[in-house]
Amino acid sequence: MNEEIKSIINRSRTALKEIENYSQSQVDQLVKIIGKVVFDNAELFARLAVEESGMGNYEDKLKKKYGKSRIIWYSLKDKKSVGVLSRDEETGITEIAKPVGVVGAVQPCTNPIVTPMANAMAAIKGRNSIIVMPHPRTVNCTKLFIDKVHEAWKHLSPPDDILLCVENPSIEMTGELMKQADVVVATGGPGMVKSAYSSGKPSFGVGPGNVQCIFDLNIDVKKSIEMVLIGRTFDNGIICSGEQSIIMPTSMRSEIEAEMKNQGFHIINSESEKSALATYTFPNGHIAKEVVGQSIEKIAKAAGIIMPEGTRVIAVCIDNDDTESVFRKEKMFNAVALFCYDTFEQALAILNHNLSMEGRGHSVCIHSNDAQHIEQLGLSAKASRVIVNAVSATTTGGSFTNGLGPTSTLGCGSWGNNSISENFTYKHLLNITRVAMPLKDVYIPSDEELWG
């Protein structure tokens, strides 16, 4: 075993024993401070995350740190995670929460502060210890975050080793951490998630995003486009839950495209421009690393695309017969694909075909005032979340405006080769003991009643 991993695992297990008898109040104080450290240092962390990763933009990373620290703590502060969780008189079941143990958490370079914050808050809420494996590209800002948490904890005197950071991360050490931890949380690319599931330990992973967005008839076009603009441009497009396509009624195409232009979308129809953009951004059919999280001006210039001043998003028109276009995939920069449909069933077919290329199990979005169509999408889409009349990029991971669990780790179910199809939260880092009392006045049906 790697000596650094061996040492850090031993330290984590020792700390785990020290907090296993902490009260709910003690645990919640520690969890609150984790979120407050990010909130109080949001400007510093946002600046360092951009500088170190070379991705995204300061303004949106700042918003994310303020927003996620608030919503995650708000969702956790009144939740019970220690001792008896519930007593059900009807079933005779008493549920008791216990730690899962040492959590090994692998972090992406796209989210080097908020993801470890969210995972640490979830882990310690359940009296677990956690070891963060930062991405080598962003190790300094992740380490600084953890150092600041330790400093802020001092007056409570907890064992600092309940939250540890691997300071010299590597692929080899990541694999070793996964094997030695009790539970693995892998928030990153498909290779990392596959490694987590191959570690032999209970694991929670994520899948690639490719959020398809349907515009229904009779919507507020201006408002819907504003929402897509916010979602598509957030942090220069690196958010996995950001809108990737607009699937619109053919009858509304002129109105929608006119409003898109008003709001800073540059619409590409010519095959030469589409080819130039595809060649630069998706060489060999896969997204180029150098375009991820970069400004649209930089990308357009490199691809030879001339855009009007003030352009914020490139919109690529895709013919429905062009079933293999790379723009049907996830675009981790400020671009969307445009599709037209004549019937709602056709819209669903376009959406599911795009998900079959990439992003199955993640999320979809719809702007609609038709309850039947919304439910039809929920029944049809191979997706774990359907976002309705909201900005997908900023609400899919939980929001004050919806009931999804606040997180930075979005399970994609079996469609995305994940173990869960919901938002990963503290609940997934609890072992639950169920005490089953004998029921009184039990009625046992006869065989004739059961089978007829």
Side-chain angles (χ1 to χ4, degrees), residues 390-424:
V391 179
S392 178
T394 57
T395 65
T396 306
S399 167
F400 284 111
T401 60
N402 68 32
L404 295 172
T407 189
S408 290
T409 301
L410 302 166
C412 299
S414 61
W415 301 299
N417 295 318
N418 293 168
S419 56
I420 59 172
S421 59
E422 62 180 333
N423 289 6
F424 173 82

Side-chain angles (χ1 to χ4, degrees), residues 225 253-263 267:
I225 291 172
R253 177 173 182 170
S254 296
E255 178 188 1
I256 290 171
E257 289 191 351
E259 183 57 37
M260 288 177 70
K261 291 176 182 177
N262 287 339
Q263 294 195 33
I267 300 174

Side-chain angles (χ1 to χ4, degrees), residues 47-360:
R47 177 174 56 79
L48 292 178
V50 173
E51 289 177 358
E52 199 170 3
S53 71
M55 298 178 181
N57 63 72
Y58 169 81
E59 293 78 11
D60 290 334
K61 288 193 185 297
L62 183 63
K63 290 176 188 174
K64 184 190 288 188
K65 285 157 186 58
Y66 282 137
K68 281 292 188 180
S69 59
R70 294 176 72 245
I71 184 60
I72 291 178
W73 168 240
Y74 182 77
S75 73
L76 292 176
K77 68 185 188 74
D78 295 322
K79 300 292 192 307
K80 192 155 180 54
S81 60
V82 174
V84 175
L85 298 180
S86 65
R87 302 179 196 275
D88 190 321
E89 298 297 330
E90 184 176 344
T91 63
I93 299 293
T94 298
E95 294 187 333
I96 302 171
K98 296 172 184 175
V100 296
V102 175
V103 178
V106 184
Q107 315 301 302
C109 63
T110 54
N111 208 12
I113 302 294
V114 171
T115 297
M117 176 200 75
N119 288 339
M121 293 174 81
I124 293 171
K125 179 74 177 178
R127 293 175 296 168
N128 303 289
S129 59
I130 178 169
I131 300 170
V132 172
M133 178 67 72
H135 192 282
R137 190 167 165 179
T138 51
V139 64
N140 293 327
C141 56
T142 302
K143 175 69 165 53
L144 178 63
F145 152 65
I146 291 174
D147 287 344
K148 284 190 173 295
V149 170
H150 289 164
E151 184 180 343
W153 273 348
K154 279 184 178 178
H155 68 288
L156 298 175
S157 300
D160 281 348
D161 288 354
I162 57 173
L163 172 58
L164 289 169
C165 179
V166 177
E167 298 184 25
N168 300 292
S170 67
I171 293 174
E172 177 194 1
M173 293 177 72
T174 299
E176 194 64 41
L177 175 64
M178 289 177 176
K179 291 177 183 177
Q180 300 303 324
D182 296 312
V183 174
V184 177
V185 182
T187 311
M192 190 61 66
V193 173
K194 185 177 181 180
S195 294
Y197 287 129
S198 301
S199 67
K201 295 300 174 71
S203 300
F204 299 95
V206 298
N210 188 20
V211 177
Q212 303 299 302
C213 182
I214 293 178
F215 279 13
D216 206 347
L217 295 166
N218 302 315
I219 60 171
D220 184 330
V221 170
K222 182 175 185 293
K223 186 175 180 181
S224 295
I225 291 172
E226 284 175 353
M227 290 185 187
V228 172
L229 179 64
I230 293 169
R232 187 73 297 254
T233 59
F234 194 87
D235 212 8
N236 284 356
I238 60 175
I239 306 299
C240 64
S241 53
E243 293 84 341
Q244 299 290 325
S245 300
I246 296 176
I247 304 168
M248 58 186 170
T250 303
S251 61
M252 296 174 65
R253 177 173 182 170
S254 296
E255 178 188 1
I256 290 171
E257 289 191 351
E259 183 57 37
M260 288 177 70
K261 291 176 182 177
N262 287 339
Q263 294 195 33
F265 287 78
H266 174 53
I267 300 174
I268 290 179
N269 277 296
S270 79
E271 293 303 318
S272 61
E273 284 190 308
K274 285 191 271 186
S275 177
L277 185 63
T279 299
Y280 177 64
T281 58
F282 283 89
N284 303 314
H286 301 288
I287 192 165
K289 291 181 180 180
E290 57 266 26
V291 306
V292 175
Q294 303 305 307
S295 71
I296 196 61
E297 294 84 4
K298 179 179 178 180
I299 291 170
K301 183 178 180 180
I305 306 295
I306 299 173
M307 307 185 304
E309 187 176 347
T311 294
R312 300 189 63 193
V313 178
I314 289 178
V316 185
C317 295
I318 306 297
D319 191 287
N320 290 340
D321 292 332
D322 185 4
T323 58
E324 300 302 317
S325 171
V326 292
F327 296 115
R328 291 177 179 265
K329 297 182 178 182
E330 182 180 28
K331 300 161 286 295
M332 299 183 75
F333 56 96
N334 295 2
V336 294
L338 299 182
F339 301 89
C340 290
Y341 67 88
D342 296 319
T343 66
F344 195 72
E345 288 70 24
Q346 186 182 18
L348 296 176
I350 294 168
L351 177 144
N352 278 313
H353 175 73
N354 293 348
L355 291 181
S356 73
M357 292 184 68
E358 190 167 54
R360 283 208 320 171

